Amino acid sequence: MPRVRTSRAKAQRREVKTFGLPLRLRALAGNNQFIMSIASINPATGETLKTFTALSAAQLEEKLQIAADTFQPYRHTSFADRARLMSHAAEILETEKHEFGKLMTMEMGKPIKAAIAEAEKCAWVCRYYAETAAQHLADQVVETSAQKSYVHFQPLGPVLAIMPWNFPFWQVFRFAAPALMAGNIGLLKHASNVPQCALAIEEIFTRAGFPRGAFQTLLIGAGAVEGILNDDRVKAATLTGSEPAGRSVASIAGRQIKKTVLELGGSDPFIVMPSANIDEAVSTAVKARTINNGQSCIAAKRFIVAEEIYKDFERKFVEQMRALKVGDPMEESTEIGPLATPQIANDLEEQVQRAVASGARLLTGGKKIDRAGNFFEPTVVANIDVNAPVSGEEIFGPVAMLFCVRSIDEAIGIANATPFGLGSSAWTNDPDEQKIFIEGLEAGSVFINGMVASDPRLPFGGVKNSGYGRELADFGIREFVNIKTVWIGAKRERRD
């Protein structure tokens, strides 16, 4: 399989390239080791809104010590007390969702309606864990030769979360809500282009009443990450981002024997069979490809359609992609806003050009829009050569690839012909085909007749190069706990 190149991967590669610097070189940088610029730049206009100074080494040390000191009393708080605080965080998110939505749109360009919905979803995950954490982490009694034996769950301590810009609130809260409800401490290294979102999230937890240091945002560049992972006070790490970033973090944490959870890229298939409702599949396909301006790990990227319905699907799909309204993301009628950075738009255009050069047909779009901001035309390419590198890449932007197949086996073969395995969607009303897709698709989730989406009640994560571990549901809250076996005294024989 050819090496995968994506705009998101290249962006995060630039942030992680200093993770492995020798100590001698990092020392030369002194307090300037935090290399990345930290700034809010409006992707719809290119205007720099605000810049931030990265933490000095002394400031970072202070925050790490606060996290360690806070953990000892916080770990002993009750689930009821944590739930009260987490419910308050949910109330803040719901009450101020419009303000938080505007902040997200301003920093990374998602349409305002989607940004407000993201704040609402964050409130949902807070309430979910406030209501279920005690149950998920309750002692589990197991009958053995002991008088009493059970499984006991205990928090680990401060956990570093390295989060991306594409869902600047949701990606953080789906980590923070279970982590804090389990009794852990959160340390956030957010993407350097969404610093105001990162600071707002810390403020939400502070206003909710969590103790000082329970959740802290670290305004740092990638050069500081290795030192944090090597610090004994930090017990584990989670990363959502690119494959290169995941490899860097996992290798550093691995040398310290520290637990990691990785949610990396995706090139999700969207398969449509003859028995499907074509109109419903098409409308969902357009939404699944363009959600978040196409910048989502679990956005459908490869549309694999049975030959007998392919022409009808292609026609309707292209018509609906062309009809999407591209414009100011602050306007509620806008369906496609700008991409997060100019480089993402440049890389996306280059991917389309490579697809066409390898023999693909460009059906609509294909280039950046000549206007201020990082806007890109909704794009559809067909007749993709399955052996072309672009066919298995993660494409971050409103670009869809169409494939025509003659059988269910061919559909599954193309779907699995990628190093990624995050989500997948299959459209069929044939029960036997549904079973084949459920068993045959190499992915962390399979959605039948529906769009892939994360849900606090269901585990979320991938296989292959999409990472390991799970977020959300009971699986997610148990990722960063000590699963402790307790055995008390051997059973004694009864004597009458």
Side-chain angles (χ1 to χ4, degrees):
M1 177 64 62
R3 184 179 180 184
V4 174
R5 298 172 62 236
T6 72
S7 53
R8 184 177 68 157
K10 285 195 270 188
Q12 279 205 297
R13 193 179 301 118
R14 286 190 288 273
E15 280 218 34
V16 303
K17 65 182 179 182
T18 55
F19 282 8
L21 281 177
L23 287 172
R24 177 181 60 82
L25 296 182
R26 293 207 309 276
L28 289 176
N31 286 354
N32 222 4
Q33 65 178 299
F34 315 122
I35 295 168
M36 295 295 295
S37 61
I38 301 175
S40 294
I41 300 175
N42 188 331
T45 64
E47 176 190 2
T48 298
L49 304 170
K50 196 170 184 179
T51 60
F52 296 82
T53 301
L55 296 175
S56 68
Q59 290 171 322
L60 177 58
E61 164 60 26
E62 180 182 4
K63 286 182 174 290
L64 292 178
Q65 189 56 50
I66 290 171
D69 292 342
T70 302
F71 174 61
Q72 291 309 319
Y74 183 69
R75 67 179 299 182
H76 298 298
T77 57
S78 67
F79 282 113
D81 285 342
R82 296 175 206 162
R84 176 176 52 80
L85 301 178
M86 193 61 69
S87 296
H88 192 190
E91 292 169 3
I92 294 171
L93 284 159
E94 289 171 339
T95 301
E96 301 175 29
K97 61 186 179 182
H98 293 281
E99 289 75 15
F100 296 135
K102 289 177 183 177
L103 182 59
M104 286 183 255
T105 296
M106 179 182 66
E107 283 205 303
M108 60 73 55
K110 68 172 71 237
I112 187 64
K113 289 174 66 176
I116 293 169
E118 183 170 333
E120 292 173 333
K121 191 170 185 179
C122 293
W124 180 20
V125 78
C126 288
R127 292 196 188 282
Y128 171 79
Y129 279 110
E131 295 168 359
T132 63
Q135 173 187 341
H136 291 330
L137 298 180
D139 290 345
Q140 296 181 1
V141 176
V142 181
E143 289 297 325
T144 67
S145 59
Q147 294 179 34
K148 184 178 182 181
S149 52
Y150 58 96
V151 180
H152 184 56
F153 302 97
Q154 293 181 305
L156 297 180
V159 180
L160 175 65
I162 304 166
M163 294 288 116
W165 46 262
N166 57 333
F167 291 92
F169 269 53
W170 171 244
Q171 305 276 14
V172 177
F173 274 92
R174 75 185 192 194
F175 150 75
L180 292 174
M181 283 303 303
N184 291 307
I185 299 298
L187 293 168
L188 172 63
K189 189 277 183 237
H190 216 325
S192 296
N193 60 325
V194 289
Q196 294 190 69
C197 287
L199 292 170
I201 292 168
E202 177 181 337
E203 184 181 0
I204 288 169
F205 285 116
T206 299
R207 289 171 56 197
F210 283 89
R212 176 173 179 258
F215 186 93
Q216 297 180 84
T217 283
L218 308 178
L219 289 183
I220 56 175
V225 171
E226 182 172 0
I228 297 172
L229 290 172
N230 287 334
D231 195 299
D232 289 340
R233 292 167 293 190
V234 176
K235 303 304 180 183
T238 181
L239 176 140
T240 297
S242 71
E243 185 183 341
R247 291 183 188 277
S248 295
V249 167
S251 63
I252 295 167
R255 290 195 294 270
Q256 300 298 321
I257 321 296
K258 292 183 180 179
K259 176 73 176 289
T260 54
V261 169
L262 303 179
E263 191 269 281
L264 308 179
S267 184
D268 287 12
F270 187 107
I271 303 170
V272 186
M273 302 301 289
S275 65
N277 181 318
I278 302 302
D279 289 336
E280 183 182 359
V282 168
S283 61
T284 304
V286 171
K287 181 180 178 181
R289 174 60 288 218
T290 60
I291 188 171
N292 206 42
N293 303 334
Q295 301 166 123
S296 171
C297 309
I298 54 172
K301 299 176 178 75
R302 297 175 298 137
F303 298 85
I304 303 165
V305 184
E307 184 178 40
E308 59 191 275
I309 58 170
Y310 177 83
K311 288 184 178 180
D312 191 26
F313 182 94
E314 178 187 275
R315 177 180 56 80
K316 293 178 178 179
F317 184 75
V318 171
E319 286 175 357
Q320 291 189 30
M321 288 287 282
R322 283 178 179 156
L324 292 169
K325 181 182 177 182
V326 180
D328 183 352
M330 287 293 185
E331 294 182 3
E332 291 199 0
S333 60
T334 293
E335 295 169 294
I336 303 289
L339 300 177
T341 70
Q343 189 60 51
I344 293 172
N346 291 338
D347 292 343
L348 192 61
E349 191 171 59
E350 187 260 345
Q351 282 181 300
V352 174
Q353 291 170 352
R354 284 192 290 113
V356 173
S358 69
R361 287 188 299 127
L362 181 61
L363 303 182
T364 189
K367 61 184 185 297
K368 295 179 290 183
I369 299 175
D370 186 15
R371 59 176 290 179
N374 313 319
F375 292 89
F376 200 93
E377 296 175 331
T379 300
V380 183
V381 290
N383 297 108
I384 310 291
D385 183 349
V386 294
N387 296 312
V390 71
S391 69
E393 293 178 359
E394 179 177 42
I395 291 182
F396 240 50
V399 175
M401 296 185 289
L402 300 187
F403 300 80
C404 179
V405 294
R406 294 182 175 85
S407 68
I408 191 170
D409 289 339
E410 185 181 2
I412 291 176
I414 291 176
N416 292 340
T418 173
F420 298 113
L422 192 54
S424 61
S425 177
W427 290 71
T428 173
N429 288 309
D430 183 325
D432 292 332
E433 287 183 344
Q434 292 176 0
K435 292 177 183 177
I436 292 171
F437 285 125
I438 291 168
E439 293 298 322
L441 290 172
E442 298 171 353
S445 63
V446 178
F447 279 59
I448 302 296
N449 297 333
M451 188 179 85
V452 177
S454 55
D455 183 318
R457 300 163 295 186
L458 294 170
F460 182 86
V463 295
K464 301 196 291 187
N465 288 11
S466 289
Y468 52 74
R470 291 295 181 266
E471 298 176 289
L472 304 177
D474 53 342
F475 294 91
I477 198 171
R478 291 175 187 159
E479 287 284 4
F480 296 120
V481 295
N482 175 15
I483 303 173
K484 180 180 285 186
T485 292
V486 179
W487 192 94
I488 303 174
K491 289 181 179 177
R492 296 176 181 173
E493 294 183 7
R494 287 186 57 187
R495 295 183 180 179
D496 295 329

